[in-house]
Amino acid sequence: MSSFINYSLTARDTERAIVRAGLALGLDWRDESALRSVVKEALDRRQGLHRGTELPRQGAARLRLNLCALLVLMRRIELALDPASDYAPGPSWQALSRVLDQELAGRLAG
């Protein structure tokens, strides 16, 4: 099935969208606490812990929600991307991935 999707191109497009959303939100990719906040929100939303809350239609809350969705997509791409691909993640991708790994490890540990 992977022959139908160009994961390198999808990864580039996803990272570009992540960078744009981060810039619009004023995120500093070196600020681990800000990144951890986004990662925690994304994981909480993924686990259904934000049910019953109205989805934001615009503004910073909507951008943050989009960034959470992009984070989930980013992880799925990481799992599907061929290690031999020509894609090299940029600083924003690497920073989010590192914080996501740490948060997941903490949640799994209890």
Side-chain angles (χ1 to χ4, degrees):
M1 264 229 231
S2 63
S3 63
F4 293 109
I5 298 173
N6 182 338
Y7 285 105
S8 294
L9 180 61
T10 304
R12 281 187 195 91
D13 291 344
T14 302
E15 184 166 16
R16 206 171 303 124
I18 287 170
V19 169
R20 274 193 228 120
L23 286 172
L25 290 168
L27 278 179
D28 178 356
W29 301 112
R30 297 164 299 191
D31 183 355
E32 294 239 349
S33 65
L35 297 180
R36 189 169 313 288
S37 173
V38 170
V39 165
K40 283 182 179 182
E41 182 179 345
L43 291 175
D44 288 350
R45 286 186 179 281
R46 188 81 175 128
Q47 292 176 333
L49 300 178
H50 285 269
R51 289 181 196 252
T53 59
E54 189 173 321
L55 293 177
R57 297 189 187 279
Q58 60 188 7
R62 183 62 184 196
L63 282 172
R64 196 167 167 92
L65 180 64
N66 288 343
L67 185 56
C68 290
L70 287 166
L71 181 64
V72 172
L73 178 60
M74 180 190 85
R75 180 48 48 110
R76 288 181 178 240
I77 292 169
E78 283 178 339
L79 295 173
L81 194 62
D82 182 2
S85 78
D86 63 344
Y87 179 70
S92 58
W93 185 294
Q94 291 173 356
L96 278 173
S97 186
R98 182 179 56 254
V99 172
L100 179 59
D101 288 342
Q102 292 168 356
E103 181 64 22
L104 287 171
R107 288 183 183 212
L108 291 173

